Amino acid sequence: MAMETPVRAGAKLKVFIPELVYFEPDSLEYPMGARIYKWAQENDLPIRMTTSHNRITDLPGETDLEKYKIAKRTLVVGVRKTLEFDTSKPSAEYAIPVATGCMAHCHYCYLQTTLGAKPYVRVYVNIDDITNRALKYIEERKPEITRFEAACTSDPVGLEHITGSLSHLIEFMGKQEYGRLRFVTKFNNVEPLLALEHNKRTRIRFSVNADYVIRNFEPATSSFTERIEAAGKVARAGYPLGFIIAPIIWHEGWEEGYAELIRSLKREVPPEAETELTFELIQHRFTKTAKRVIQARYPKTKLEMDEVKRKYKWGRWGQGKYVYPDEQANALREFLTEQIFANFPKASIDYFT
Ligand code: 0TT
Ligand code: SF4
């Protein structure tokens, strides 16, 4: 169960193959559930049944840390019961739930605290219930456009070869005059998405960062080169393209690191994608709980989480978070804004948060 071998190498593409798969019995009544079951059998994966993900008590692993690592390699196939969507400011009006959990190991990831002690990778097979609910939200707001974020609680591109959910959502949204889909990813397996009828109603964003951040804090994701190649592919397939620079981290040599990032994007992004290009900028933040969890799970991390060096921002509900003091946040925002517009004069920056 080594974390160092997160992906099994295929002929060309590396994709996530779980080490254990649980099915909730109802899930097998849906075409997607039945298909994943067959796929798990064909791949000789250990299969277990569970009445609910909450009742999984037989997960291997002695310590909490082992259980955590194994949970990240465990797929739970279930039916989404709650069909109320969460809001998703600033990136969209609603979060559209197709999966929760992720097999990657980004040290700073907020899922570590939002998903609790056993963050299995859960996928929902009742995709028609989900799109029907989305349709209602679209109807309520029209003629306003309603945007749905599919990457709030997972990285769905990394799961697409198992579920096909994104393909389904993309083609659904392709038919919605007043609906838009968006998701962000650190994975490069976009091949299944290229030929879909998206009608430009899905924006695909890649999460990118300074080399220092990718190298130190993003194990088990696709490399920068792989992400940027995938960005070129989706742009050439006509999808609106975006980049999320997150988390923006203050580190030694950050100016050169981020300048080099923007220069590489400039070199690699096909010119025709530049007019519609968007950027979203998110500075690093952490809560007290997140700090404790991260230090337990990644004890050797170089992630700086010193409250004294940060500014406390009160939360509207519950716990507040630590962000950079205004002076540093402004320096990061201004520097990145300049670099982006110098290289991509037609792009827009959606927000800095
Ligand atoms: O540290 C992560 C931060 O990034 C969070 O404050 C959300 C934010 N974020 C993530 C963002 O600004 N834009 C994005 O596109 C995200 C990838 C998706 C997103 C998640 C979002 O836009 N808005 C949200 O409210 N979320 C939710 O934040 C999902 C989760 O429940 C919660 C975690 O704080
Ligand atoms: Fe979290 Fe995204 Fe990294 Fe997955 S790829 S661990 S969702 S930050």
Side-chain angles (χ1 to χ4, degrees):
M1 297 275 176
M3 188 176 104
E4 291 71 28
T5 50
V7 282
R8 211 182 270 177
K12 214 164 160 233
L13 211 62
K14 294 179 288 175
V15 292
F16 167 64
I17 306 288
E19 285 169 14
L20 179 60
V21 190
Y22 286 91
F23 287 86
E24 295 174 9
D26 322 356
S27 69
L28 299 175
E29 291 162 25
Y30 294 80
M32 192 194 293
R35 183 162 43 75
I36 300 176
Y37 193 87
K38 202 163 155 252
W39 173 86
Q41 280 182 321
E42 284 166 2
N43 280 278
D44 290 328
L45 305 179
I47 294 176
R48 294 181 186 175
M49 299 304 288
T50 177
T51 47
S52 156
H53 75 100
N54 291 322
R55 304 232 170 76
I56 296 177
T57 48
D58 54 348
L59 198 68
E62 297 292 315
T63 62
D64 284 351
L65 189 56
E66 261 174 50
K67 281 191 181 357
Y68 166 73
K69 288 184 187 168
I70 291 163
K72 278 211 166 250
R73 313 279 309 148
T74 302
L75 182 69
V76 181
V77 182
V79 176
R80 177 78 184 188
K81 304 273 163 25
T82 333
L83 288 169
E84 291 305 307
F85 294 1
D86 285 332
T87 57
S88 179
K89 292 284 169 214
S91 78
E93 277 68 51
Y94 291 105
I96 189 161
V98 289
T100 49
C102 176
M103 53 288 178
H105 275 274
C106 305
H107 296 182
Y108 53 72
C109 181
Y110 61 67
L111 299 182
Q112 300 196 55
T113 41
T114 55
L115 297 185
K118 295 176 195 163
Y120 326 98
V121 181
R122 298 176 62 204
V123 297
Y124 308 116
V125 296
N126 52 332
I127 191 80
D128 293 325
D129 295 339
I130 295 165
T131 49
N132 284 335
R133 190 67 188 92
L135 206 51
K136 288 201 183 119
Y137 285 116
I138 294 172
E139 286 298 319
E140 276 167 23
R141 284 176 41 90
K142 92 181 192 198
E144 292 286 322
I145 297 282
T146 305
R147 296 168 304 166
F148 297 90
E149 170 68 63
C152 269
T153 53
S154 177
D155 189 315
V157 173
L159 301 168
E160 186 61 10
H161 61 291
I162 304 175
T163 62
S165 315
L166 282 181
S167 301
H168 198 95
L169 290 188
I170 290 169
E171 296 211 308
F172 162 79
M173 218 56 91
K175 300 188 193 98
Q176 307 306 320
E177 193 177 352
Y178 299 103
R180 298 290 181 273
L181 180 69
R182 42 172 42 227
F183 50 84
V184 55
T185 185
K186 292 193 183 102
F187 289 91
N188 67 338
N189 36 320
V190 295
E191 225 58 52
L193 312 181
L194 299 180
L196 302 173
E197 284 206 32
H198 56 77
N199 272 329
K200 292 197 171 285
R201 290 181 177 142
T202 293
R203 180 176 294 279
I204 304 184
R205 302 107 88 217
F206 287 85
S207 173
V208 290
N209 223 311
D211 179 60
Y212 169 86
V213 177
I214 297 185
R215 225 169 353 98
N216 285 296
F217 308 122
E218 300 186 349
T221 60
S222 299
S223 68
F224 177 78
T225 312
E226 290 169 327
R227 293 178 211 176
I228 199 76
E229 272 168 17
K233 284 184 195 167
V234 305
R236 281 186 289 272
Y239 283 97
L241 177 68
F243 291 107
I244 296 202
I245 307 180
I248 302 167
I249 290 184
W250 188 280
H251 60 280
E252 196 169 321
W254 67 270
E255 286 180 297
E256 189 38 37
Y258 284 109
E260 176 51 25
L261 165 65
I262 307 296
R263 281 198 297 273
S264 338
L265 296 180
K266 179 71 188 178
R267 277 196 300 273
E268 306 291 339
V269 171
E272 66 268 28
E274 284 188 21
T275 26
E276 286 183 293
L277 197 62
T278 57
F279 285 87
E280 293 156 74
L281 310 180
I282 309 175
Q283 61 168 312
H284 178 243
R285 72 237 9 246
F286 64 92
T287 60
K288 268 206 190 308
T289 313
K291 178 176 174 175
R292 204 178 58 239
V293 172
I294 292 166
Q295 285 174 339
R297 289 179 179 170
Y298 306 102
K300 292 195 199 122
T301 189
K302 290 187 192 150
L303 193 61
E304 175 274 307
M305 292 178 288
D306 185 351
E307 290 89 339
V308 181
K309 293 186 182 161
R310 299 291 187 118
K311 167 180 145 172
Y312 187 71
K313 208 168 153 186
W314 291 94
R316 238 184 311 161
W317 302 279
Q319 216 178 164
K321 58 200 168 202
Y322 293 90
V323 294
Y324 289 113
D326 294 346
E327 204 179 315
Q328 273 174 305
N330 288 336
L332 292 167
R333 179 174 45 75
E334 282 164 18
F335 184 80
L336 274 163
T337 306
E338 278 165 23
Q339 296 291 317
I340 289 169
F341 288 137
N343 286 280
F344 299 100
K346 293 183 185 144
S348 51
I349 299 180
D350 288 349
Y351 55 83
F352 173 95
T353 180

